[in-house]
């Protein structure tokens, strides 16, 4: 039986894969936490809320809007991912860590 | 000349119409892009040493140069989209409706070029996704570069969503007149469309525009981008709260200039005098003048504070501004443009589209040069300037210069392609110019019959 | 061996008594020692568990010695953990002793992460594998602040020889112009003093390079506070180089000159490849193309990969001839850098006096000779004529006989000839005498002939040799008793400021050192200027390099040093190297 400990161990490997911050310098929480999630993204929170509250509204259309947001973001980064993997294989001799093993 | 009535046929003309000029332009832009791609691939193969960059300090050079200057420049140009859309949707300046969509597309194109520069300036672009996204949950808390990536992504996505949502109205109504072979594209774009969504979408994009107008000028080009530099205390030329507002003015000037040039190009190519009227250019010029004034005003702040009784390191950095051509010439160019626009305000007959284009080009050149100067002058005059090799030497290499022409080619190609897919002027704008439907815009309704004023 | 006495020790009561006497000679509690010895015997016999033994004396040992380094600690802790149970162990995985650090760790990870982390620690303990997430400071052996490696750099001792730069370049196989360690001379507006700067990476506690890194490639290694770059993660954006106030970063703009295979070969003898550290991350030696690098303070050395001797050293520190570099744990008051810093004058004097003459031993011998407690030939220290000459002279004088002579006949003749060469130098020059004449004089001397002008002069020359020796020895003592500070007196002063009683240390009261003057002696010898500073301290980076010497002002500008980089096969300005690869170099600069 797979112990819950091992599962969570795997999860934390996925999330952190051996990397972490240095307290007070990097990692949660720091100035960026507040600036990004507390200031910069607030207009987006408000906008999405407004899509679902107030008149005239249509939840389906609101969801379509959200799907556009998520979909375009995904397409952007997945496209970027594919491009960078091609660059990796052609110019740098292989996939980057953690997809391939690192080391000299 | 413009006694024509704006029609759907007008805005559909670009689609499905291929002229010789189009192909020539496509070829030139393609060549420019291709040349840069070759250069970039050589750089990927050999390493960043092919550029004119070097380590700052004992390394005798500057570590960020034209690539980063051009990156900032393109993000600035990309702000045109939201400026125009916000003006129209939020502030009711319907006058600019005909160029709003072009401006939004310029945002997408400009951000794509900017993103390209990020990739090009990295030593290991192959790790862009795995290393940055892979550690995002840690680094977003502290790294200004990750903030940058976040907000640029957000701006791009929001603008693309805005475009996608507003295109639904146009495509649906113009479907019959659009080319058949692009049917799959239109099907996807209008998935699930019902007429009653129009009002809902109207409201949604209003909130979208609001979100973008708060985020992009104030927190992207007036926020995370200047913060890349302004938060570092050992670069006196950078370390100042004024950089947020200063960068914003640069974005605004570049953005308007980009829209002026773009609008003129399309107007000329497709005989849209009656849609993209002179009035629009007059208005854009006024705004350009205003933003140029703000730009120079904020430079004045820096020069004054940097000259009165500055600390040693700030004194050196400011001295450079007064003597280096890369700062002086752009300032004079912007001042010249401002003077002309002021004169034009006093004497409207001075206006002409050609002069507007010249003004826009001058401003774009000035902002590119000034921004590049800003970046490299940081490394020339750091606080810890003890090294003999500081200030370092730098001149953009051929590959770096090719990146400029290459990205301009990229943006041109973008428009050449997009203008064949969807209408680049909103259907709403045509309807509005014809005074067709009951919009609740109370402000200036520019009819399409205003005679052109000759210079 | 069994005895029928009461002693616990197998060797019997007499031996036990001797041990007790030895204990009495120390300043520590003999009774405690004896009790512990008794119980230790019980442990070896299996009558008492290690854990119980450890616990029984832990408080006493702490009170007596201030620390408890006994090897029974492990057993004690194991017993403790067996008692604590799983949850307790889980919580113990968080470093430190209680709520505070647990809370800090949770803050670091976020609540959800902490739950995952806590349970994964449990999971990790179950399979006995190390948790992938470092919840506690790795390898932290209990000090509140942990280890923070850093340096104390004595700018007054640096002579600009560039040995450190060369050593670093060789250790890490760096390209030309990649000067992780850098030395620069500078001119400054404030006059006086030597103006030279040793510039490694400062390994700041609040490193701006780490803060701006978008990928965590630039990070601080928890176990020892080194700021390192993970070459597998770095995207080459160069923002760390932008953010660093000191300019210590060097980007790998092109393919490095030395391949990783070559590096592996160079270090094939060691435990590891000098590139990956003990977390299995590639952080050491030169960077690969497209990635940033800087001084690492040699993490693979610290991890023991090169052998125990190299732990706690860096390549630059090892190579520095005047010992201007002290590397070690800045949080440990007993580390080399902190010891150096705690009394700079002492440290400098200690280094400067090393190997100098006449030292304490030599002066003591001189006194002994003059007090006639030893003979001339008993002395190891020969300030005057050397031993061979003295032996030969004494032999001719008849003071020693052939058995005592360490020279064989030929050597003896050669030495005598040398002495006569000096004595009859003028005659030889004017060709009144020849070498053959000298040879026959030597023959005569060996035959015991005593008559003849030349022989008399030769015998006088022998006397002179002895007299010269005695004079030289007297001279040493005179110097010691004069106002001049001899190395011996510096050594005395060092011992006195270290806490020794002057009467135990001082060779003779004729010397100038006593308790009152010891510090003055050191300051007069090594200089009393010991101002310390950190570079750009007001910027808030908290660098871990402390400098002793002159701080460069804001207008300081680099000038040429005594040794040019070109002269030692290095390059000062990297751009000269990189320009060769630039495509379309217009040859001008903005």
């Amino acid at each position: 039986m797979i112990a819950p400990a091992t599962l969570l161990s795997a999860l934390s490997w996925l999330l952190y894969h051996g990397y972490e911050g240095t307290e007070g310098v990097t990692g949660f929480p720091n100035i960026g936490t507040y600036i990004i999630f507390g200031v910069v993204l607030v207009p987006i929170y408000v906008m999405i809320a407004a899509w679902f509250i107030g008149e005239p509204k249509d939840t389906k259309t609101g969801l379509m809007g959200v799907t556009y947001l998520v979909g375009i973001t995904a397409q952007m980064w997945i496209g970027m991912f594919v491009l960078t993997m091609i660059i990796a294989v052609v110019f740098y001799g292989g996939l980057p860590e953690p997809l391939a093993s690192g080391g000299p | 000349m413009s006694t024509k009535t704006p029609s759907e046929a007008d805005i559909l003309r670009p689609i499905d119409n291929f002229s010789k000029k189009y192909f020539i332009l496509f070829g030139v832009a393609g060549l420019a892009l291709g040349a840069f791609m070759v250069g970039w691939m050589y750089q990927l193969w050999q390493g960043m040493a092919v550029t004119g960059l070097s380590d700052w300090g004992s390394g005798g050079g500057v570590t960020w140069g034209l690539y980063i200057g051009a990156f900032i420049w393109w993000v600035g140009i990309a702000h045109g989209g939201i400026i125009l859309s916000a003006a129209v949707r939020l502030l009711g300046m319907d006058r600019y409706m005909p160029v709003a969509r072009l401006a939004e597309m310029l945002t997408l194109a400009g951000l794509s070029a900017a993103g390209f520069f990020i990739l090009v300036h990295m030593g290991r672009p192959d790790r862009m996704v795995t290393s940055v996204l892979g550690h995002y949950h840690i680094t977003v808390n502290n790294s200004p570069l990750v903030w940058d990536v976040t907000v640029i992504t957000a701006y791009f996505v929001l603008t693309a969503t805005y475009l996608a949502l507003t295109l639904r109205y146009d495509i649906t109504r113009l479907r019959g007149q659009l080319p058949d072979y692009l049917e799959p594209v239109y099907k996807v774009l209008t998935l699930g469309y019902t007429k009653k969504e129009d009002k809902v979408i109207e409201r949604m994009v209003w909130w979208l525009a609001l979100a973008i107008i708060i985020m992009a000028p104030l927190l992207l080009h007036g926020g995370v981008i200047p913060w890349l530099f302004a938060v570092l205390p050992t670069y006196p030329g950078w370390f100042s709260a004024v950089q947020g507002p200063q960068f914003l003015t640069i974005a605004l000037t570049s953005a308007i200039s980009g829209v002026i040039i773009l609008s003129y190009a399309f107007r000329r190519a497709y005989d849209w005098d009656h849609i993209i009227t002179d009035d629009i250019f007059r208005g854009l010029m006024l705004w350009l003048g205003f933003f140029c004034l703000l730009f120079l005003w904020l430079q004045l702040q820096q020069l004054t504070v940097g000259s009165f009784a500055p600390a040693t390191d700030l004194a050196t950095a400011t001295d450079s501004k007064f003597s280096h051509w890369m700062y002086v010439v752009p300032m004079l160019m912007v001042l010249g443009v401002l003077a002309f626009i002021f004169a034009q305000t006093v004497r409207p007959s001075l206006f002409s589209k050609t002069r507007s284009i010249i003004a826009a080009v001058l401003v774009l050149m000035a902002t590119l040069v000034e921004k590049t100067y800003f970046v490299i002058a940081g490394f020339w005059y750091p606080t810890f300037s003890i090294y003999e090799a500081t200030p370092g030497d730098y001149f953009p290499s051929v590959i770096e210069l090719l990146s400029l022409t290459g990205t301009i080619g990229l943006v041109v190609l973008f428009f050449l392609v997009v203008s064949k897919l969807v209408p680049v002027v909103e259907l709403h704008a045509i309807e509005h110019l014809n005074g067709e439907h009951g919009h609740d815009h109370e402000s200036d309704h520019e009819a399409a019959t205003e005679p052109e004023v000759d210079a | 061996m069994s005895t029928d006495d009461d002693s616990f020790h197998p060797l019997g009561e007499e031996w036990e008594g001797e041990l007790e006497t030895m204990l009495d000679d120390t300043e520590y509690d003999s009774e405690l020692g004896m009790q512990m010895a008794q119980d230790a015997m019980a442990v070896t016999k299996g009558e008492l568990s290690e854990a119980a033994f450890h616990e029984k004396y832990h408080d006493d040992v702490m009170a007596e010695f201030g620390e408890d380094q006994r090897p029974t600690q492990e057993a004690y802790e194991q017993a403790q953990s067996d008692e604590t149970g799983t949850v307790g162990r889980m919580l113990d995985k968080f470093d430190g002793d209680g709520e505070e650090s647990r809370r800090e760790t949770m803050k670091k990870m976020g609540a959800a992460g902490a739950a995952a982390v806590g349970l994964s620690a449990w999971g990790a303990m179950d399979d006995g594998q190390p948790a992938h997430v470092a919840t506690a400071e790795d390898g932290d052996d209990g000090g509140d602040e942990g280890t923070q490696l850093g340096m104390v750099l004595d700018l007054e001792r640096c002579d600009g020889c560039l040995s450190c730069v060369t050593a670093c370049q060789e250790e890490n196989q760096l390209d030309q112009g990649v000067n992780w360690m850098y030395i620069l001379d500078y001119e400054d507006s404030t006059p006086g003093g030597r103006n030279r700067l040793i510039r490694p990476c400062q390994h700041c506690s609040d490193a701006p390079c780490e803060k701006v890194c978008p990928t965590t490639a630039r990070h601080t290694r928890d176990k020892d506070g080194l700021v390192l770059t993970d070459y597998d993660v770095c995207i080459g954006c160069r923002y760390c180089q932008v953010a660093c106030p000191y300019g210590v970063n060097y980007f790998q703009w092109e393919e490095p000159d030395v391949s990783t295979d070559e590096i592996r070969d160079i270090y094939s003898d060691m435990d590891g490849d000098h590139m990956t550290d003990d977390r299995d991350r590639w952080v050491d030696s030169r960077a690969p193309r497209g990635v940033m690098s800087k001084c690492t303070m040699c993490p693979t050395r610290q991890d023991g990969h090169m052998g125990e001797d190299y732990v706690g050293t860096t390549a630059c520190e090892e190579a520095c001839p005047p010992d201007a570099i002290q590397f070690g744990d800045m949080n440990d008051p007993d580390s080399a850098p902190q010891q150096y810093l705690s009394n700079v004058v002492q440290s400098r004097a200690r280094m400067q006096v090393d190997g100098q003459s006449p030292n304490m031993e030599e002066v003591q011998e001189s006194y002994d000779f003059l007090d006639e407690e030893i003979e001339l030939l008993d002395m190891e220290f020969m300030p005057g004529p050397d031993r061979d000459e003295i032996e030969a002279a004494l032999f001719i004088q008849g003071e020693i006989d052939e058995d005592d002579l360490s020279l064989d006949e030929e050597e003896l003749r050669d030495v005598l000839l040398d002495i006569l060469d000096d004595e009859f130098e003028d005659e030889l020059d004017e060709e009144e005498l020849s070498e053959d004449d000298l040879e026959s004089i030597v023959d005569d001397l060996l035959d015991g002939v005593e008559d003849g002008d030349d022989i008399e002069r030769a015998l006088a020359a022998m006397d002179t040799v002895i007299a010269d020796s005695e004079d030289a020895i007297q001279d040493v003592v005179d110097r010691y008793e004069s106002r001049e500070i001899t190395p011996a007196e510096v050594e005395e002063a060092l011992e006195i400021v270290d806490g020794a009683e002057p009467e135990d240390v001082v060779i003779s009261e004729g010397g100038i050192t006593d308790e009152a003057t010891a510090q003055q002696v050191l300051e007069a010898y090594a200089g009393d200027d010991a101002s310390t500073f950190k570079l750009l301290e007001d910027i808030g980076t908290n660098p871990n390099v402390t400098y002793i010497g002159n701080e460069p002002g804001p207008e300081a500008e680099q000038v040429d040093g005594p040794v040019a980089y070109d002269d030692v096969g290095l390059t000062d300005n990297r751009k000269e190297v990189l320009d060769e690869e630039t495509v379309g170099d217009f040859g001008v600069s903005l």
Side-chain angles (χ1 to χ4, degrees), chain A residues 51 64-66 68-70 72, chain B residues 108 156-166 205 208:
Chain A
W51 284 358
M64 179 184 72
V66 172
Y68 269 116
L69 291 178
V70 172
I72 296 173
Chain B
L108 295 183
F156 185 95
V157 169
L158 289 175
T159 305
T161 304
Y162 183 96
L163 251 176
L165 289 177
T166 51
V205 299
L208 244 179

Side-chain angles (χ1 to χ4, degrees), chain B residues 3 66 92 184 200 214 315 318 329 347-349 371 375 408 424:
Chain B
T3 48
L66 182 61
V200 181
I214 300 294
T318 312
V329 170
R347 218 160 154 231
S349 58
K371 269 286 75 63
V375 171
I408 293 174
V424 295

Side-chain angles (χ1 to χ4, degrees), chain A residues 17-94:
Chain A
H17 45 100
Y19 295 86
E20 66 195 77
T22 299
E23 196 181 337
V25 183
T26 59
F28 177 90
N30 210 306
I31 181 174
T33 325
Y34 310 114
I35 285 184
I36 295 295
F37 299 103
V39 177
V40 167
L41 295 184
V42 164
I44 298 183
Y45 308 151
V46 170
M47 170 190 86
I48 294 181
W51 284 358
F52 292 101
I53 309 169
E55 295 295 332
K57 74 166 189 289
D58 178 26
T59 314
K60 227 174 96 200
T61 319
L63 280 173
M64 179 184 72
V66 172
T67 309
Y68 269 116
L69 291 178
V70 172
I72 296 173
T73 310
Q75 168 249 316
M76 232 182 102
W77 282 100
I78 292 174
M80 183 76 80
F81 178 70
V82 170
L83 172 63
T84 51
M85 290 306 106
I86 295 173
I87 293 176
V89 169
V90 174
F91 292 102
Y92 293 98

Side-chain angles (χ1 to χ4, degrees), chain B residues 91-138:
Chain B
L91 304 176
M93 290 196 237
D94 295 344
R95 178 185 196 175
Y96 301 107
M97 212 189 284
V99 296
R101 181 169 291 157
L102 274 173
E104 287 147 33
M105 289 171 168
L106 181 59
T107 298
L108 295 183
L111 288 181
S112 301
F116 204 177
F117 269 113
I118 293 187
L119 216 53
V120 164
H121 116 279
M122 283 164 56
R124 290 300 301 251
D126 59 314
R127 296 173 178 171
M128 175 70 182
V129 181
T130 48
S131 287
V132 176
L133 284 196
H135 298 94
Y136 185 85
H137 52 289
I138 299 171

Side-chain angles (χ1 to χ4, degrees), chain C residues 39-68:
Chain C
D39 276 342
M41 281 310 306
V43 172
T44 63
K45 282 191 225 165
E47 289 163 1
L48 182 64
S49 76
E50 279 192 8
F53 171 73
H54 192 88
E55 191 176 7
K56 186 173 176 186
Y57 289 103
H58 180 66
D59 289 293
D60 287 341
V61 168
M62 288 304 292
E64 188 67 25
F65 300 104
E67 57 182 9
D68 187 358

Side-chain angles (χ1 to χ4, degrees), chain C residues 6 16 44 62 79 85 138 168 185 226 236 250 302 311 319 350 381 391 396 409-410 513 547:
Chain C
D6 294 343
E16 188 185 332
T44 63
M62 288 304 292
D138 288 332
C168 175
D185 279 50
L226 290 180
Y250 293 88
Q302 314 320 324
V311 177
R350 208 182 302 275
F381 174 54
E391 272 195 29
I396 297 299
E409 190 169 337
E410 202 173 313
T513 318
Y547 290 89

